[in-house]
């Protein structure tokens, strides 16, 4: 029986090694193929790099996942960083893809996120900067392991809100409030949501009563109220929700 077990273990180790070699060969081929598309179809090439990065992550190949993300960012720098029409959409796509990644090494994750922060500062419109920074905060947040969530998450939220206040965009403010609400639900950065809420509340009379973004705000407040009702009033802290 012991000999049989040893043979089985040898076969498993052999299969794992062969699978690892096959994956590296496949990823190398994909990389070489996509490199040929960069100049002709940069946006498609970037999307494919991001998709393959997620596949590499699912295969627990962190090195390959990081490499494909790096290539996607290089395409952004080369083709979209100065493209006012498509740069925001390109950044949003990268951020969404990176948010789905779970197995990436923490230092690599933060390196990529920090590069995205730098890209956000170069966007032409302050509103776009605010929206992108607020979304980048998700990358710095480690769900289920708050102790590892860097202060850079809160920094992104704060800077995003400061930039947003320079605009007169109610929808943007409520989008940022919803981002804060996500962290609030996860017991993180709870003290910051009150500041955003009170600011929006103080500015609400500047917008028409039939403005659809006021409904967006009310729906968000209702969601917060439901959460507080479920968890108890002490969960809300100093935040008082009044949707009138």
């Amino acid at each position: 029986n012991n000999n049989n077990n040893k043979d089985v273990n040898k076969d498993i180790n052999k299969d794992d090694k062969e699978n690892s070699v096959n994956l590296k060969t496949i990823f190398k081929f994909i990389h070489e193929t996509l490199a040929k598309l960069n100049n002709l179809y940069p946006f498609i090439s970037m999307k494919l790099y991001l998709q393959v990065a997620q596949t590499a992550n699912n295969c627990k190949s962190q090195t390959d996942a990081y490499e494909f993300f790096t290539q996607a960012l290089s395409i952004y720098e080369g083709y979209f960083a100065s493209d006012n029409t498509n740069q925001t959409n390109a950044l949003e796509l990268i951020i969404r893809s990176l948010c789905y990644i779970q197995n990436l090494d923490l230092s690599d994750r933060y390196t990529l996120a920090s590069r995205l922060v730098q890209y956000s500062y170069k966007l032409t419109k302050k509103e776009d900067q605010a929206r992108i920074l607020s979304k980048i905060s998700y990358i710095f947040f480690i769900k289920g392991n708050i102790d590892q969530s860097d202060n850079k998450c809160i920094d992104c939220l704060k800077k995003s809100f400061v930039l947003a206040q320079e605009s007169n965009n109610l929808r943007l403010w409520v989008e940022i409030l919803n981002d804060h609400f996500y962290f609030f639900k996860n017991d993180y950065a709870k003290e910051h949501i009150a500041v955003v809420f009170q600011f929006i509340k103080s500015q609400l009379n500047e917008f028409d009563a039939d403005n659809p973004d006021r409904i967006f705000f009310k729906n968000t407040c209702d969601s917060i109220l439901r959460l507080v009702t479920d968890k108890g009033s002490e969960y809300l802290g100093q935040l008082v929700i009044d949707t009138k």
Side-chain angles (χ1 to χ4, degrees), residues 77-242:
E77 289 179 357
Y79 296 92
F80 300 107
S82 58
D83 181 355
N84 294 336
T85 303
N86 297 308
Q87 60 185 180
T88 302
N89 290 336
L91 279 178
E92 288 177 340
L93 178 62
I94 295 171
I95 292 168
R96 283 197 302 270
S97 299
L98 191 50
C99 282
Y100 283 118
I101 298 299
Q102 300 297 324
N103 298 318
L104 201 62
D105 182 79
L106 195 61
S107 62
D108 289 341
R109 184 184 182 92
Y110 280 8
T111 297
L112 294 171
S114 296
R115 286 178 65 178
L116 292 171
V117 169
Q118 295 305 312
Y119 299 157
S120 74
Y121 291 147
K122 297 178 182 178
L123 295 173
T124 304
K125 298 179 180 178
K126 291 292 181 66
E127 292 182 7
D128 290 337
Q129 291 181 21
R131 182 174 284 109
I132 291 298
L133 271 173
S134 191
K135 297 304 179 188
I136 293 173
S137 64
Y138 288 83
I139 303 173
F140 285 114
F141 177 69
I142 309 300
K143 188 174 181 180
N145 197 348
I146 294 175
D147 291 340
Q148 290 191 38
S149 292
D150 196 277
N151 286 334
K152 290 179 181 178
C153 173
I154 294 176
D155 288 343
C156 284
L157 290 172
K158 287 181 176 180
K159 291 174 182 177
S160 169
F161 181 54
V162 169
L163 288 166
Q165 290 179 82
E166 298 181 23
S167 73
N168 192 37
N169 189 331
L170 178 57
R171 170 158 288 274
L172 173 62
W173 298 341
V174 181
E175 286 177 5
I176 291 174
L177 177 64
N178 273 275
D179 292 335
H180 279 73
F181 182 41
Y182 170 83
F183 299 111
F184 184 75
K185 288 187 292 186
N186 285 279
D187 293 319
Y188 187 70
K190 290 172 62 176
E191 65 274 18
H192 299 287
I193 190 173
V195 178
V196 180
F197 171 80
Q198 297 297 349
F199 171 79
I200 297 174
K201 184 67 178 174
S202 70
Q203 301 295 316
L204 211 54
N205 289 334
E206 301 297 322
F207 301 90
D208 294 336
D210 59 351
N211 188 313
D213 294 331
R214 292 188 66 142
I215 298 175
F216 183 25
F217 177 60
K218 183 181 185 304
N219 290 341
T220 300
C221 293
D222 289 343
S223 296
I224 297 173
L225 279 172
R226 283 194 296 271
L227 177 68
V228 173
T229 300
D230 291 340
K231 290 183 174 288
S233 59
E234 70 280 358
Y235 191 78
L236 194 59
Q238 299 299 313
L239 179 57
V240 178
I241 297 294
D242 176 10

Side-chain angles (χ1 to χ4, degrees), residues 1-147:
N1 288 335
N2 289 335
N3 289 333
N4 289 337
N5 289 335
K6 289 180 180 178
D7 291 339
V8 170
N9 289 334
K10 286 181 180 179
D11 289 339
I12 292 174
N13 291 334
K14 181 180 178 182
D15 289 341
D16 288 343
K17 186 175 181 180
E18 289 179 351
N19 289 336
S20 176
V21 172
N22 289 337
L23 276 177
K24 288 190 176 299
T25 302
I26 292 170
F27 287 140
K28 181 181 178 182
F29 171 75
I30 293 174
H31 184 281
E32 292 172 350
T33 302
L34 292 182
K36 298 175 182 178
L37 294 176
N38 291 353
N39 292 330
L40 296 174
Y41 308 103
F43 193 78
I44 293 176
S45 181
M46 187 183 71
K47 284 183 68 174
L48 291 173
Y49 271 121
L50 294 172
Q51 291 175 0
V52 179
Q54 293 182 51
T55 300
N57 171 74
N58 294 337
C59 294
K60 294 182 171 52
S61 181
Q62 296 183 11
T63 302
D64 290 306
Y66 179 73
E67 177 62 25
F68 283 116
F69 267 115
T70 299
Q71 290 300 321
L73 264 60
S74 295
I75 292 176
Y76 173 83
E77 289 179 357
Y79 296 92
F80 300 107
S82 58
D83 181 355
N84 294 336
T85 303
N86 297 308
Q87 60 185 180
T88 302
N89 290 336
L91 279 178
E92 288 177 340
L93 178 62
I94 295 171
I95 292 168
R96 283 197 302 270
S97 299
L98 191 50
C99 282
Y100 283 118
I101 298 299
Q102 300 297 324
N103 298 318
L104 201 62
D105 182 79
L106 195 61
S107 62
D108 289 341
R109 184 184 182 92
Y110 280 8
T111 297
L112 294 171
S114 296
R115 286 178 65 178
L116 292 171
V117 169
Q118 295 305 312
Y119 299 157
S120 74
Y121 291 147
K122 297 178 182 178
L123 295 173
T124 304
K125 298 179 180 178
K126 291 292 181 66
E127 292 182 7
D128 290 337
Q129 291 181 21
R131 182 174 284 109
I132 291 298
L133 271 173
S134 191
K135 297 304 179 188
I136 293 173
S137 64
Y138 288 83
I139 303 173
F140 285 114
F141 177 69
I142 309 300
K143 188 174 181 180
N145 197 348
I146 294 175
D147 291 340

